[in-house]
Amino acid sequence: MTGRGGAATGAGAPAEMLYVRFRAAGDGGPDGDRGAPPGEETYEQLLRLLGQFTPAIEALPPDAALADVRGALRYFERDAAGIAELIRLRALAWYGVRCTIGVAGNPLLARMAAQGAAPGEVRRVPGDAVADFLDRKPAAALHGVGPATARALCAYGLDSVGRIAAAPPATLQRILGAKAGRAVYDKARGIDPSPVTPNAAARSIGAEHRFAHDELDPDRRRRALLSLADDLGARLRGSGRAARALTLTVRYADRSTTTRTRRLPEPTAHGPALTDAAYALHAALGLQRARVRSVSLRAEDLCRAELAARQLTFDPAEDKARRIEAAVDRARERFGEAAARPAAKLAQPYSRSAYRGP
């Protein structure tokens, strides 16, 4: 199977894609993956480090990136794993950041290789070893397969990637629907046609909440999302920008992640609109008993606020909310962020890292 430009993207493709996850070295004890993501400035420096090897970089803020290094192999006279080792050493020496890197033939396999790697390890999945690599992994290990989809598959005995790959495509389509069934079938066989899409020109703003303990309470997760959406709205308004889309990323206790994006009805920097979208994304995941380690929100596809059209409304409550929001912004600008904030921020302490990604 081939992607754009004729690049092989199937299970037998050469291992030329890198998924790089960044963590502060020495932060979090012996398990380096528990360390904090890099700050905004360091993250951008790390992207520039990747740019020394290839221009085909897809930023995945706050702590990861995809890189297609096919064009760099001959120049550096190394295979993709060798280039990954150079990146790992330079990031550690120059920025004090530990890189866990998955090397494989497509973004799906590279991501999964990194998720299963030890902190600071470079893990390669050769094209002829894809079936063995995937066989015994749980269904939820496939990127894009969330808890609800995994439960639906497990109810039919399809609890491992190997069993999903052996199932008839028609069976998966009956369980998950035509489109989702085909996508999961391809992923279970290690097929991912998506290219690495350079996105350095597009800017995003985001923030992450890391719980002190793996969180089971949906109300506490919603309070965290309220705080994050409030922060994003304030930062967007302060920079004179509005978001056309919002992305929610949930990281679980087993270090797997689920990411969902929703296009907003209109570009906005209005806190309640961002909060409603975040709640809707969270509810759609169906995280009934999931142990959540962190949640993050990212405002994407930004535009200048003056170019964003606003739907006229005759709702006095909406107008009042916007006037209050403007007053809160003025109070924060004069007296600091703590001058006015949602009650959710007072309900419980939490750790938050903010980032602005390319």
Side-chain angles (χ1 to χ4, degrees):
M1 193 167 184
T2 60
R4 295 181 185 177
T9 56
E16 297 170 342
M17 302 286 178
L18 309 183
Y19 178 87
V20 189
R21 187 172 65 243
F22 307 111
R23 282 291 187 271
D27 191 355
D31 185 357
D33 191 57
R34 293 179 182 270
E40 173 189 331
E41 182 178 351
T42 302
Y43 180 73
E44 294 187 355
Q45 291 172 336
L46 291 165
L47 292 179
R48 288 195 289 271
L49 169 61
L50 294 180
Q52 296 175 10
F53 296 89
T54 174
I57 301 166
E58 183 172 344
L60 303 171
D63 64 351
L66 280 166
D68 183 344
V69 297
R70 283 174 295 159
L73 304 182
R74 179 177 296 181
Y75 180 84
F76 287 95
E77 297 183 343
R78 296 170 183 260
D79 61 8
I83 291 177
E85 186 65 24
L86 281 177
I87 293 170
R88 187 187 71 81
L89 292 173
R90 293 183 184 183
L92 185 60
W94 296 352
Y95 305 109
V97 171
R98 178 176 292 157
C99 296
T100 302
I101 306 178
V103 185
N106 60 49
L108 168 71
L109 295 172
R111 187 188 300 264
M112 293 179 68
Q115 288 175 347
E121 179 187 359
V122 175
R123 187 177 187 188
R124 179 174 177 266
V125 181
D128 57 1
V130 171
D132 291 338
F133 170 73
L134 293 174
D135 186 51
R136 296 181 181 275
K137 290 189 178 295
L142 290 173
H143 179 63
V145 174
T149 301
R151 286 195 296 269
L153 292 168
C154 290
Y156 288 85
L158 303 175
D159 56 355
S160 72
V161 177
R163 290 181 176 178
I164 296 171
T171 299
L172 296 174
Q173 291 179 22
R174 284 196 297 271
I175 297 172
L176 304 176
K179 183 177 180 180
R182 286 193 299 269
V184 170
Y185 179 72
D186 283 345
K187 289 180 179 181
R189 297 169 64 220
I191 297 173
D192 180 13
S194 60
V196 174
T197 305
N199 58 353
R203 304 292 293 182
S204 64
I205 295 178
E208 181 183 39
H209 171 116
R210 293 187 300 278
F211 295 102
H213 305 284
D214 295 335
E215 187 56 71
L216 291 166
D217 188 344
D219 289 336
R220 291 186 179 181
R221 296 198 295 261
R222 283 171 61 90
R223 286 201 293 269
L225 292 174
L226 170 60
S227 294
L228 294 177
D230 177 70
D231 285 347
L232 284 185
R235 292 166 63 194
L236 286 169
R237 294 189 300 275
S239 63
R241 290 182 289 180
R244 297 187 180 97
L246 188 70
T247 293
L248 168 67
T249 299
V250 179
R251 184 178 294 275
Y252 306 102
D254 62 359
R255 304 179 191 169
S256 63
T257 60
T258 300
T259 300
R260 295 290 186 271
T261 299
R262 170 167 293 203
R263 299 294 298 183
L264 300 172
E266 61 186 25
T268 186
H270 187 39
L274 296 172
T275 301
D276 290 345
Y279 285 170
L281 285 165
H282 178 262
L285 293 179
L287 304 178
Q288 296 175 350
R289 296 186 179 180
R291 297 170 57 203
V292 174
R293 179 166 297 174
S294 68
V295 292
S296 64
L297 287 178
R298 186 167 72 251
E300 296 185 308
D301 196 7
L302 305 185
C303 64
R304 296 208 308 258
E306 62 267 23
L307 300 180
R310 176 186 164 193
Q311 181 68 40
L312 294 177
T313 175
F314 296 100
D315 183 359
E318 171 75 8
D319 292 336
K320 181 179 179 180
R322 290 184 180 271
R323 289 197 300 271
I324 292 174
E325 190 172 65
V328 168
D329 288 344
R330 291 192 295 271
R332 286 174 170 172
E333 182 178 359
R334 184 174 181 180
F335 300 109
E337 183 181 350
R341 50 185 175 170
K345 291 188 176 182
L346 305 175
Q348 60 177 2
Y350 69 94
S351 171
R352 179 180 64 86
S353 65
Y355 58 87
R356 181 180 294 107

